[in-house]
Amino acid sequence: MSGNSKKKLLLMGRSGSGKSSMRSIIFSNYSAFDTRRLGATIDVEHSHLRFLGNMTLNLWDCGGQDVFMDNYFTNQKDHIFKMVEVLIHVFDVESKEVSKDIDVFVKSLKQLKQFSPNAKIFVLLHKMDLVQIDRREELFDIMMNKLKETSKVYGFDIVGFPTSIWDESLYKAWSSIVCSLIPNMNQYEENLTNLQKIIEAQEIILFEKTTFLVICSSNSGQLISSTNNNFEKLDPKRYEKISNIMKNFKQSSTKLKSQFHQLNLNNNLFIMELSSNLMIFVVLPFDANNNSGLIQENIKHAKKYFQ
Amino acid sequence: MEQPQIIAEPSNDPERATILLMGLRRGGKSSICKVVFHNMQPLDTLYLESTSKPTTEHYSSLIDLAVMELPGQLNYFEPSYDSEKLFQSVGALVYVIDSQDEYLNALTNLAMIIEYAYKVNPEIHIEVLIHKVDGLSEDFRLDTQRDIMQRIGDELLDLGIEGVQVSFHLTSIFDHSIYEAFSRIVQKLIYELPSLENLLDNLVQHSKIEKSFLFDINSKIYVATDSSPVDLQTYEVCAEFIDVTVDLNDLYENKISNQPLKCSSVLQNGYILTFHTMIRGLALVALIKDSDVDTTMAVVDYNVEIFNKALKEIWKRSILS
């Protein structure tokens, strides 16, 4: 990978919407339960996260109390909204003052249009677990339509996700956000598809090592619509679920004062290190008689294409 | 919401292993009941059909958890005739003390129950759950436990029954401690388990295994473990490893082949976690300390296969007899 890339991500939203909880779960190995002890964020909390080696995510977690908020839009506006790559705006679905929430969103869009018009906008409807299951989709659609309308005025195209810290939806959202920042995505995908052909795998997924966010998968592109109907039976949410499962396992392995290294399930499913910041997840067809040594050797040789 | 289950009839079989869950109001009995009952189901069926070698174990369920509500205000409690019958039929009496509440009342109450139960049934296991410790700090937990143990000892001394064995467990339903406590309680009630433990000891000695658990997959209560001391951390990691294996397998499950699961994971400091499905919803989870993965796993796989055969043998004989 080349290029020194420092990406500025703004994490905004009104107070109590769960911004710091998200950050702690994805980047600091908190469990959903642990986030209860997080206090209010004062002003802006910066964190620098190294991601995939030479990409640095500069996450600005902006405290959401009105006092701070007003400050962002007046005194600090050029400081906050300059050179922004990504705005992640978090909405609390349980919020009583929806119009005020949207108002704040509009204000930040206004600033972005002025200071960084090329920013990508992501909207997370957070705390979805508090809504009844049958009403979630409807609520999400209503909210997204409204938000899309408002953001169109400022010339931004927005992408939205329903999220909750209690299930895997959080990983889906953050995977898409982070993936949108990776420059040489095509090369990763191409290499992965080649590797899949060589070892005749059912599926290969690439994960970032520390956060276990999905980088890409061998079936993400055109392959999924091809004749192989085997994939249609698979769980569409499997990537996020794997992230979730593996993140939990990573945490439990810290109890043995160690870190996860590799896993082999039934000689069909392998998870191992590919480089210092990538994990590879390989699933082989279940009817085949697989040799785990052979697979490991193949993956070892694949390593140089993913450095 | 506490929903006391009323036992219509204590049971005709006096040897039936029953756990009686007692405690003051709002101690958390019903929650424990739900957690454990919910998880108990597969274990029940296991003992109904599989390794039921001892003939005395033909129950409709392994553990009957009857919740007996005790009024919190009354400091004088005298069980009626029915409860005498009840105490005779139970194998273990689990008394739940809310550690976040004022527990002096509960202790007096407990001493009285112990005195009575011991008179009726000297064989009874008395287990005290110092419950809801999730809200207490680490130091305070031990202080509380020491205080409670001391006070109970004094009370029993006053009543002149200092010979009773009382076990204490620090529990919370929000972590693995309640499973750990119940694992220990259940194990005490199945006298035939030493044969399983012996098998595990044999396995451990010959395969460089540091610790092994025979789990019920769905409940995560361990049915047996080898004789080395159980460390709660190890137990938690092993229990969570079951989730990892089962969940990952579910995602790519092939419905046709129903082959037994086998999973191994290597950690960076050379620990290996292994998972092998055994008969009837049981799984063997082991923690191995070795750096050479391939040769170790070959030996372990082979030995585990033998262990599994032994389990099958026990099960087959129990059907025949």
Side-chain angles (χ1 to χ4, degrees):
Chain A
M1 247 176 87
S2 57
N4 70 318
S5 22
K6 248 188 165 188
K7 315 275 187 187
K8 180 170 167 186
L9 286 82
L10 281 187
L11 186 54
M12 293 200 115
R14 295 202 49 216
S15 100
S17 57
K19 300 176 293 298
S20 301
S21 304
M22 284 187 181
R23 189 189 52 151
S24 309
I25 289 175
I26 299 285
F27 297 104
S28 313
N29 273 332
Y30 275 49
S31 73
F33 206 64
D34 290 337
T35 58
R36 290 194 306 183
R37 15 172 239 260
L38 290 170
T41 307
I42 306 298
D43 209 17
V44 183
E45 235 171 64
H46 302 268
S47 34
H48 301 266
L49 310 147
R50 272 168 63 80
F51 197 80
L52 288 180
N54 51 4
M55 193 164 102
T56 310
L57 301 184
N58 226 340
L59 194 64
W60 294 40
D61 182 1
C62 307
Q65 265 98 346
D66 291 339
V67 203
F68 305 134
M69 277 291 185
D70 292 340
N71 211 358
Y72 302 148
F73 299 126
T74 52
N75 299 336
Q76 297 180 307
K77 60 182 178 188
D78 49 345
H79 173 60
I80 299 258
F81 291 99
K82 230 172 208 166
M83 311 260 291
V84 174
E85 294 273 339
V86 173
L87 169 73
I88 303 155
H89 201 103
V90 185
F91 288 92
D92 180 354
V93 286
E94 281 247 294
S95 169
K96 298 278 184 299
E97 305 162 294
V98 184
S99 56
K100 198 171 172 193
D101 293 346
I102 296 178
D103 196 42
V104 170
F105 179 57
V106 168
K107 271 186 192 163
S108 40
L109 285 181
K110 229 181 249 168
Q111 301 299 334
L112 275 183
K113 189 177 163 63
Q114 188 188 342
F115 291 101
S116 18
N118 292 322
K120 298 188 181 85
I121 316 281
F122 291 92
V123 185
L124 307 184
L125 293 193
H126 198 45
K127 306 196 187 177
M128 265 300 178
D129 53 296
L130 297 173
V131 182
Q132 283 168 5
I133 296 174
D134 46 335
R135 287 198 51 231
R136 286 181 193 173
E137 202 172 334
E138 186 195 340
L139 194 84
F140 180 69
D141 286 342
I142 294 173
M143 193 68 183
M144 280 316 291
N145 284 338
K146 173 90 182 133
L147 289 178
K148 271 191 181 135
E149 232 171 76
T150 40
S151 57
K152 211 171 251 169
V153 183
Y154 298 94
F156 288 112
D157 219 9
I158 64 169
V159 183
F161 297 97
T163 56
S164 155
I165 57 170
W166 300 101
D167 59 28
E168 66 281 343
S169 58
L170 192 64
Y171 293 94
K172 184 190 172 71
W174 279 88
S175 280
S176 332
I177 292 171
V178 169
C179 281
S180 74
L181 296 172
I182 298 173
N184 46 356
M185 198 62 158
N186 290 338
Q187 205 192 334
Y188 275 128
E189 267 174 18
E190 197 181 308
N191 285 341
L192 212 57
T193 322
N194 284 339
L195 182 64
Q196 184 194 21
K197 271 180 206 144
I198 291 164
I199 59 180
E200 292 172 339
Q202 190 182 358
E203 180 160 67
I204 304 181
I205 309 170
L206 216 54
F207 290 96
E208 203 278 331
K209 197 173 157 196
T210 47
T211 56
F212 251 97
L213 293 175
V214 179
I215 306 289
C216 64
S217 95
S218 60
N219 297 322
S220 61
Q222 58 292 81
L223 259 169
I224 202 143
S225 54
S226 73
T227 49
N228 202 340
N229 52 13
N230 213 355
F231 297 117
E232 285 158 30
K233 284 186 233 149
L234 290 174
D235 190 341
K237 282 184 185 166
R238 61 188 180 280
Y239 304 145
E240 301 90 74
K241 283 184 177 165
I242 295 166
S243 293
N244 201 4
I245 294 167
M246 291 313 296
K247 202 75 188 271
N248 287 339
F249 183 46
K250 263 180 74 125
Q251 247 174 59
S252 77
S253 66
T254 56
K255 286 176 195 154
L256 293 174
K257 298 187 184 61
S258 184
Q259 277 186 337
F260 172 74
H261 183 59
Q262 66 176 55
L263 184 139
N264 168 353
L265 177 71
N266 263 3
N267 270 343
N268 274 318
L269 198 154
F270 297 87
I271 305 175
M272 54 184 88
E273 214 168 281
L274 194 62
S275 70
S276 53
N277 37 44
L278 286 175
M279 287 300 237
I280 192 166
F281 177 99
V282 182
V283 189
L284 298 170
F286 277 71
D287 41 2
N289 197 3
N290 307 303
N291 183 340
S292 67
L294 192 66
I295 298 297
Q296 281 178 14
E297 196 60 29
N298 275 328
I299 289 174
K300 211 184 277 172
H301 284 287
K303 276 181 186 176
K304 65 169 176 268
Y305 295 101
F306 291 94
Q307 289 308 319
Chain B
M1 269 320 128
E2 295 196 44
Q3 290 179 316
Q5 281 174 286
I6 298 143
I7 12 151
E9 208 178 321
S11 106
N12 309 322
D13 183 358
E15 283 186 86
R16 201 175 154 114
T18 310
I19 290 181
L20 190 59
L21 198 59
M22 298 177 96
L24 290 186
R25 194 180 290 271
R26 304 194 55 77
K29 297 176 295 299
S30 308
S31 335
I32 292 179
C33 218
K34 255 182 196 155
V35 170
V36 173
F37 250 134
H38 178 74
N39 289 301
M40 214 54 188
Q41 238 55 287
L43 199 61
D44 292 351
T45 57
L46 169 78
Y47 277 87
L48 189 61
E49 283 167 5
S50 62
T51 336
S52 54
K53 183 182 171 190
T55 41
T56 48
E57 275 190 1
H58 282 288
Y59 312 119
S60 56
S61 77
L62 176 66
I63 302 293
D64 275 346
L65 214 57
V67 178
M68 199 163 151
E69 281 274 340
L70 293 189
Q73 297 86 344
L74 295 180
N75 55 4
Y76 189 73
F77 173 72
E78 195 65 55
S80 60
Y81 177 68
D82 264 291
S83 33
E84 184 180 320
K85 226 171 150 188
L86 185 73
F87 277 128
Q88 268 169 351
S89 67
V90 300
L93 189 153
V94 178
Y95 192 89
V96 184
I97 294 176
D98 183 349
S99 66
Q100 293 188 19
D101 202 7
E102 195 51 58
Y103 50 72
L104 291 181
N105 252 343
L107 294 183
T108 341
N109 189 271
L110 171 60
M112 229 137 37
I113 292 171
I114 294 178
E115 188 196 13
Y116 187 84
Y118 192 62
K119 208 165 64 196
V120 176
N121 178 6
E123 299 280 282
I124 200 165
H125 291 276
I126 313 255
E127 311 279 343
V128 177
L129 302 186
I130 301 168
H131 197 51
K132 305 191 191 174
V133 290
D134 49 294
L136 303 182
S137 71
E138 210 62 55
D139 300 342
F140 202 60
R141 285 180 200 179
L142 292 177
D143 282 350
T144 312
Q145 185 179 14
R146 208 174 300 128
D147 188 41
I148 288 177
M149 285 168 88
Q150 179 76 43
R151 280 171 196 272
I152 296 237
D154 290 351
E155 292 263 10
L156 293 182
L157 207 64
D158 288 349
L159 294 168
I161 42 167
E162 63 270 34
V164 191
Q165 270 295 317
V166 184
S167 319
F168 294 89
H169 309 268
L170 289 168
T171 58
S172 152
I173 51 170
F174 296 105
D175 56 28
H176 288 83
S177 58
I178 190 76
Y179 295 103
E180 160 82 15
F182 266 90
S183 298
R184 285 174 193 269
I185 294 169
V186 168
Q187 282 168 31
K188 274 187 195 165
L189 294 179
I190 304 157
Y191 309 106
E192 296 76 11
L193 276 177
S195 56
L196 283 178
E197 284 180 1
N198 241 334
L199 281 175
L200 281 169
D201 272 342
N202 261 328
L203 175 74
V204 164
Q205 272 167 32
H206 294 104
S207 338
K208 291 185 190 168
I209 294 177
E210 214 157 83
K211 187 73 195 157
S212 64
F213 292 98
L214 191 59
F215 273 103
D216 176 75
I217 293 179
N218 292 342
S219 70
K220 298 194 203 72
I221 284 181
Y222 61 94
V223 183
T225 178
D226 57 90
S227 47
S228 63
V230 178
D231 158 29
L232 192 61
Q233 303 253 300
T234 315
Y235 166 74
E236 282 175 23
V237 175
C238 288
E240 277 159 19
F241 192 56
I242 298 179
D243 282 338
V244 175
T245 309
V246 173
D247 290 351
L248 281 180
N249 185 57
D250 280 352
L251 287 177
Y252 288 92
E253 197 182 19
N254 192 337
K255 266 100 194 164
I256 309 153
S257 72
N258 214 351
Q259 54 172 346
L261 276 179
K262 197 182 91 182
C263 185
S264 63
S265 174
V266 184
L267 303 182
Q268 251 156 16
N269 59 357
Y271 273 120
I272 309 172
L273 279 164
T274 65
F275 173 103
H276 292 86
T277 347
M278 302 278 119
I279 50 166
R280 301 255 136 191
L282 280 182
L284 184 81
V285 181
L287 182 70
I288 303 164
K289 173 92 182 161
D290 199 338
S291 47
D292 190 0
V293 184
D294 289 337
T295 46
T296 313
M297 281 314 291
V299 174
V300 170
D301 283 350
Y302 181 73
N303 285 342
V304 166
E305 192 49 46
I306 296 174
F307 177 80
N308 198 11
K309 265 185 202 150
L311 276 185
K312 272 181 195 152
E313 200 68 19
I314 294 177
W315 183 48
K316 205 162 66 192
R317 297 233 174 134
S318 71
I319 294 177
L320 289 176
S321 61

